[in-house]
Amino acid sequence: MGFLEWARSPWGQNVPIHIAWFLIWVAIIAGLLFFIVHATYLRYFAKVKEFASSDSPLIAARIPERVPRHSLTARLFHWSMAASMFTLLFTAFLPKVGIRFDWVTYHWIAGAVLTCSILFHVIHASFFMDFWAIWPDKIDARDAQRRVLRFFGKAAPPPDRFAKYPLENKLYHGAIIATGLSAIVTGVFMMFRVRTIFFPRNPYLFSDMTWGMMYVLHGLAGVGLITLIMMHVYFGLRPEKRAITKSMIYGWMSRDFYLKEHDPTRWPVETSAGPERSHGANAEGLTDAG
Ligand code: HEM
C-alpha cells in the first residue's frame, strides 16, 4: 500500500498522479484522536491555569465592559474564508469517498474566493492591523518553558497572561499558513488543467512529473487541512473557549474574560482615553518584549 498513486506517461516514465485517497481517512482519524487525547488531558491531567499577576482595581475599572476584539472587516474575512474552506474540503473529498457529483467547477470557484480573501487578509493584516500580534514573541517562548516546567511539578514562576493571541493560536496560524498557501499556490496552477474564466486551459504548462508533484502537494495540503480544520472547530466549540468564539461573531469579549486571560500591557485596549496600559504589573514582561 503506497502513499501515492502512479501512472505511466506516454514516454514510458512512471509519474505520481495524486495521493492515495485512504489518506483522507488517516486525516479524519488523526483529528478524532486529537479530540480524545486533548479532552482526556484537560479532564484528568491539566492543572488549573495560573498567571503571574493581576491588575490594580484602577486599571480594571478603566477597561470597557465589552472589549473590542475583531473588527467587522476581520469577521467578514474569517467567515467568508470558513465558507470557502468547507466548500473546498467537501467538493474535493466527497467524490473520493463515493459521493459522486460534478465537483470541479464548485471547487475552483471556492478556490478563487479563498485566494482573493487571503490576498485581502494579507494586505489588511499588514497595513491596517497589528501585524506582529499573531507571531510568537520572547515572552511566549519564556512562558511556554515555564508552563512545561510547572506541569512536571518543577519550580518555575507562573506565566504572564496572554497578549491578544495565546502561543497555541499563533502556532496554529503558522500551520494554516503553510498548508493553506501550499493548497492555494498549487491550486492556482491546477486551474490551467481545467476550463475556468481566468485563463485559457494549458495542460502542457509543465512536464507530467511536475504536474504529478503538484497534484501530490495539493492533495497532501488538502488532507492536512482536514485535520487542522477539525482541530479548529473542536476548540471553537469547547466551553472554555466560548468567549473567543463569540467574539468572532459579535466582535467583542467581556471585561472579565479579558482581565482573566489577557494582559493589558501586552494587548492594550482602545478606550475613549486612548490605549489602556497597566503600569507596574508585568514590567518584566514589557522589557522582554523589547
Ligand atoms: C481546503 C483547500 C483545498 C483542498 C482540500 C483541495 C483539495 C483538492 C483535491 C483533493 C483535488 C483532487 C486532486 C487530484 O485529483 O489529485 C483538488 C483538485 C483541484 N483543486 Fe483543490 N483543494 C483546495 C484548495 C484549492 C484552491 C485554493 C484552488 C484554486 C485556487 C484549487 C483548485 C483546484 C483545481 C483547479 C483542481 C482540479 C484539478 C483537476 O481536476 O485537474 N483547490 N483539490
Side-chain angles (χ1 to χ4, degrees), residues 10-28:
W11 293 273
Q13 192 190 16
N14 263 345
V15 286
I17 47 171
H18 48 71
I19 59 168
W21 300 122
F22 77 85
L23 291 177
I24 296 172
W25 297 110
V26 174
I28 293 174

Side-chain angles (χ1 to χ4, degrees), residues 218-262:
H218 194 77
L220 285 177
V223 290
L225 282 163
I226 296 180
T227 313
L228 286 172
I229 301 299
M230 283 174 75
M231 287 162 64
H232 184 72
V233 174
Y234 162 79
F235 281 117
L237 295 176
R238 281 205 62 91
E240 75 279 4
K241 305 279 184 215
R242 208 150 287 158
I244 298 178
T245 309
K246 271 172 69 184
S247 77
M248 192 44 93
I249 300 169
Y250 301 111
W252 53 269
M253 58 179 24
S254 72
R255 174 170 54 206
D256 288 351
F257 187 88
Y258 169 82
L259 288 171
K260 190 159 68 94
E261 302 241 333
H262 298 278

Side-chain angles (χ1 to χ4, degrees), residues 17-19 21 84-86 88-89 92-93 96 103-104 107-108 110-112 114-115 180 183-194 196 215-216 218-219 221-223 225-226:
I17 47 171
H18 48 71
I19 59 168
W21 300 122
S84 52
M85 185 60 96
F86 278 111
L88 284 161
L89 288 173
F93 295 125
K96 312 289 182 290
W103 62 279
V104 178
H107 189 78
W108 69 252
L114 181 72
T115 307
I184 288 176
V185 173
T186 49
V188 168
F189 283 120
M190 283 158 71
M191 291 214 276
F192 282 98
R193 297 274 296 228
V194 296
T196 68
Y215 276 67
V216 167
H218 194 77
V223 290
L225 282 163
I226 296 180

